[in-house]
Amino acid sequence: MSVLIYTDTSNGAFTKNAFEAANYGSLVAKNEGTSATAIVIGEAKDISILGTYGITKVLHFNEALLTNFDPQKVAQIIIEAAKKISATTIILAHDYSGKAVAPILAAKLDVGLVTGAVALPEGNTVKKTVFSGKAFATIEIKTPTKIITVLPNAVEKQTFSETLSTEAFSCEIPSTRLTVKEVKKASNELSLTEADIVVSAGRGLKGPENWGMIEELAKELGAATACSRPVADIGWRPHHEHVGQTGLAIRPNLYIAIGISGAIQHLAGVNGSKVIVVINTDAEAPFFKAADYGIVGDAFEVVPKLIQAVKKLKA
Amino acid sequence: MKIVVCISKAPDTTSKIAFKENNTQFDEAGIQFIINPYDEWYALVRALELKEANGGNVTVLNVGGAENDPIIRKALAIGADDAARIDAPTNDALFIAKQIAAYLKSNPADLVFFGKETIDYNGSQVGGMVSALLDLPYVSLASKLELNGTTAMLEREIEGGIELIETSLPFVLSAAKGMAEARIPNMRGIMAARTKPLNIVPAFEASNATEIKSFTLPPAKTGCKYVDADNVDELVNLLRNEAKAI
Ligand SMILES: Cc1cc2nc3c(=O)[nH]c(=O)nc-3n(C[C@H](O)[C@H](O)[C@H](O)COP(=O)(O)OP(=O)(O)OC[C@H]3O[C@@H](n4cnc5c(N)ncnc54)[C@H](O)[C@@H]3O)c2cc1C
């Protein structure tokens, strides 16, 4: 019995979601009285940092061949690593890689999978979000081995100080018909799904030319920017900023909604945020019902003041 | 070219979510069911566009009971050529994937499309599972697909960007925003849908790997703390010292 965690990397560095998965997996291992092993694929800087997330052992599959992500191959490596350490629980982040790999793992191993966990397992049951954040379900995994993908902020970060042992690992991987030709990333932009703070604006901003203050506020807070769906649909903002039921679902620590009414489909994608601030001229805007803090006021007056207040705080 | 689009039934996005039987079952009273938006807007419409450009046949495939027939007819009205419904319960993703894989083994397809997830259980599971059961390449959360003969170029969403992927037929994908623009069925489509074939397929023997035990609603917010628009410093103070969020 042991716990295996897939810790994904991007450009040779662990992703924030990989750390979340490692932290979650270590807590699962602790609860089960067993140890937490991470599988690392490809080049990775500073592997020892995983010790501070409770990992005691790393299996490192370091082959250049795998700098390109192919879920079929990644799944096969995880299966072989799980066999080697007799893993009974496999943990992945519920991010783009985890969503690709976890279902393949579950089908190949013929075991139960719960995606989008928001809490540690209790026995064989795991709590996850359903109805796009409008509810939670507690799901029993009926197979002896379980696979779980974890949402950001599912559990509090614990501080561990484990010393790691790293072992080179290799296995046969299937030849596949898929190749990654190119990876395009907006280089210095903070990724929306990984940001701790998100500043988001809607149709209340009246036009794309008014986003300067939104970007400035985001910059002052070290936040990513997001928007409501109509704003992306009319082309005021790029599509990748669209959050909600039919866009990205995000779970930052702080979500600041400016000039967004708070339609049910918008809330579905953001109500996993820890703290919600709403700025809206309409005191009856539904978003206030989901908010922790609210200002009834005009964004064009409030936001510039907010920028000054944040600057003052940091000074 | 044969394309199979797997569609799921989902509650309308405006649905108020409630549970019954001691919070063990979703309360369907008053709920309007739709085709899961990702399956309809992106997977189905892209399949139809590819058929229009290259010829071929688009089959919609659904797992479930007769209560799903109206959404299947809607997919036919949007333009699918025929449909199959595997008459099986839908309580577990792996079970559903095994039904679909069994169907595809006897009815092979060049392309198998799913939506990126359903808006009810948010699993993002069945497409990947089917790809594994059939040993086919899997492109998750694909936002673009172009075909050139049997070669496919795709864009796949990743953290903060996209990946450009090349693969060849047959393969499985899950479709995300960007893949296509939603289509509204017209009167001719609706009329034609009535006579298009909807084949009922018996369930394939399999067991469930998971089971939903109970549902809960998120704790209600304890109430919004209002700050005066002229006192923005106070908001920053609360966010720093009370919420510890900045
Ligand atoms: C199937 C379906 C899926 C959908 N999916 C999504 C989704 O994923 N994400 C999403 O966001 N929407 C989604 N929608 C749309 C959703 O229903 C709403 O229409 C949308 O969220 C509204 O966007 P908004 O709040 O920016 O605009 P509006 O509803 O127009 O609200 C603008 C708000 O700005 C306020 N305002 C105006 N001027 C000012 C000012 N000067 N200062 C401050 N506030 C001001 C107004 O009081 C109002 O509350 C979906 C709809 C459907 C039918």
Side-chain angles (χ1 to χ4, degrees):
Chain A
M1 198 171 87
S2 74
V3 178
L4 181 68
I5 300 124
Y6 171 53
T7 44
D8 191 20
T9 55
S10 167
N11 288 328
F14 292 113
T15 62
K16 188 175 166 233
N17 291 328
F19 291 136
E20 298 248 6
N23 181 52
Y24 182 97
S26 301
L27 292 171
V28 174
K30 210 165 120 186
N31 287 350
E32 293 185 352
T34 175
S35 61
T37 301
I39 171 85
V40 176
I41 299 176
E43 182 213 345
K45 296 176 205 124
D46 198 12
I47 285 184
S48 64
I49 193 168
L50 291 176
T52 64
Y53 292 88
I55 303 291
T56 51
K57 183 172 166 187
V58 168
L59 298 176
H60 191 189
F61 188 102
N62 194 6
E63 279 183 34
L65 172 70
L66 275 149
T67 45
N68 278 340
F69 180 85
D70 177 348
Q72 270 185 299
K73 290 182 179 163
V74 174
Q76 190 57 38
I77 295 167
I78 296 175
I79 288 169
E80 295 300 330
K83 262 190 217 154
K84 183 182 161 77
I85 64 160
S86 310
T88 44
T89 307
I90 303 175
I91 308 289
L92 303 90
H94 193 57
D95 59 6
Y96 294 100
S97 307
K99 285 177 194 175
V101 175
I104 298 179
L105 277 179
K108 287 279 179 200
L109 294 170
D110 201 19
V111 304
L113 163 67
V114 172
T115 52
V118 291
L120 288 171
E122 289 180 19
N124 291 328
T125 67
V126 190
K127 188 175 175 186
K128 70 157 295 192
T129 55
V130 288
F131 299 101
S132 305
K134 292 177 195 166
F136 300 104
T138 300
I139 298 186
E140 181 195 2
I141 297 182
K142 298 157 90 81
T143 51
T145 299
K146 46 184 185 280
I147 306 176
I148 301 169
T149 68
V150 188
L151 279 172
N153 284 327
V155 291
E156 295 285 329
K157 157 93 180 83
Q158 309 279 312
T159 315
F160 296 90
S161 48
E162 302 290 348
T163 29
L164 266 189
S165 66
T166 302
E167 194 179 305
F169 176 73
S170 98
C171 62
E172 291 265 343
I173 42 173
S175 63
T176 63
R177 288 187 276 117
L178 186 150
T179 40
V180 176
K181 292 282 172 188
E182 201 183 332
V183 178
K184 286 189 185 168
K185 282 199 180 191
S187 54
N188 38 25
E189 225 172 283
L190 196 54
S191 129
L192 189 48
T193 44
E194 290 187 303
D196 281 330
I197 305 181
V198 173
V199 177
S200 185
R203 211 146 51 174
L205 275 234
K206 316 255 188 293
E209 66 281 5
N210 296 325
W211 249 264
M213 63 181 186
I214 301 300
E215 281 169 359
E216 191 179 350
L217 179 61
K219 192 167 145 256
E220 288 303 327
L221 289 167
T225 50
C227 69
S228 66
R229 177 170 120 170
V231 161
D233 282 353
I234 43 186
W236 292 359
R237 297 298 291 174
H239 276 298
H240 62 78
E241 283 195 1
H242 158 196
V243 293
Q245 185 148 18
T246 49
L248 287 175
I250 55 171
R251 294 166 57 80
N253 274 328
L254 174 60
Y255 183 74
I256 305 181
I258 302 165
I260 302 176
S261 57
I264 190 164
Q265 298 97 347
H266 184 88
L267 293 180
V270 303
N271 62 6
S273 310
K274 258 195 197 150
V275 178
I276 295 181
V277 174
V278 169
I279 299 170
N280 197 304
T281 40
D282 178 7
E284 301 297 319
F287 219 144
F288 284 115
K289 290 203 183 70
D292 299 283
Y293 301 98
I295 292 184
V296 178
D298 187 338
F300 296 98
E301 287 163 26
V302 176
V303 175
K305 283 189 204 159
L306 190 51
I307 293 167
Q308 292 314 318
V310 173
K311 278 190 177 155
K312 211 158 71 189
L313 178 81
K314 293 201 312 191
Chain B
M1 188 172 52
K2 187 158 172 45
I3 310 177
V4 171
V5 181
C6 299
I7 64 168
S8 171
K9 187 182 73 167
D12 181 79
T13 57
T14 54
S15 304
K16 198 158 170 357
I17 303 302
F19 303 104
K20 60 177 189 183
E21 305 292 328
N22 210 3
N23 287 326
T24 57
Q25 272 177 39
F26 176 50
D27 187 354
E28 299 190 353
I31 297 283
Q32 166 131 21
F33 284 98
I34 57 171
I35 307 174
N36 182 52
Y38 300 108
D39 309 351
E40 178 190 329
W41 300 348
Y42 308 129
L44 176 58
V45 176
R46 189 65 191 128
L48 295 172
E49 289 170 354
L50 291 171
K51 178 198 146 178
E52 284 153 13
N54 306 300
N57 179 276
V58 175
T59 300
V60 286
L61 179 61
N62 171 261
V63 180
E67 68 279 8
N68 290 6
D69 288 350
I71 65 130
I72 299 173
R73 289 283 171 208
K74 181 171 178 204
L76 293 170
I78 294 171
D81 297 294
D82 50 58
R85 176 168 58 78
I86 305 171
D87 197 14
T90 55
N91 299 315
D92 171 57
L94 191 50
F95 175 92
I96 296 169
K98 285 177 181 174
Q99 305 300 318
I100 295 172
Y103 173 89
L104 289 168
K105 270 182 195 150
S106 38
N107 301 275
D110 299 300
L111 289 164
V112 183
F113 289 3
F114 292 82
K116 73 164 183 175
E117 64 183 53
T118 59
I119 62 169
D120 48 8
Y121 296 103
N122 306 114
S124 226
Q125 298 192 17
V126 179
M129 287 172 167
V130 168
S131 80
L133 294 170
L134 298 174
D135 271 318
L136 294 176
Y138 179 48
V139 183
S140 56
L141 277 74
S143 52
K144 202 171 174 187
L145 163 65
E146 296 296 340
L147 287 183
N148 184 358
T150 58
T151 305
M153 294 297 301
L154 297 110
E155 288 184 9
R156 167 179 171 265
E157 293 179 4
I158 54 170
E159 258 79 30
I162 52 160
E163 238 174 39
L164 304 184
I165 290 173
E166 191 179 296
T167 188
S168 57
L169 307 188
F171 66 93
V172 177
L173 69 75
S174 77
K177 188 171 180 177
M179 184 63 102
E181 295 290 338
R183 282 185 186 181
I184 297 163
N186 58 26
M187 209 52 216
R188 234 181 77 218
I190 294 166
M191 298 302 287
R194 293 190 192 156
T195 52
K196 285 180 180 171
L198 194 178
N199 302 310
I200 311 300
V201 182
F204 172 80
E205 183 68 33
S207 52
N208 288 343
T210 61
E211 183 184 328
I212 297 182
K213 290 303 205 186
S214 65
F215 292 100
T216 42
L217 291 169
K221 286 274 179 183
T222 46
C224 177
K225 207 176 239 187
Y226 287 93
V227 175
D228 198 274
D230 293 322
N231 195 5
V232 175
D233 283 342
E234 175 60 10
L235 176 65
V236 171
N237 174 34
L238 287 167
L239 289 178
R240 162 68 53 107
N241 297 314
E242 188 178 84
K244 307 210 185 310
I246 57 174

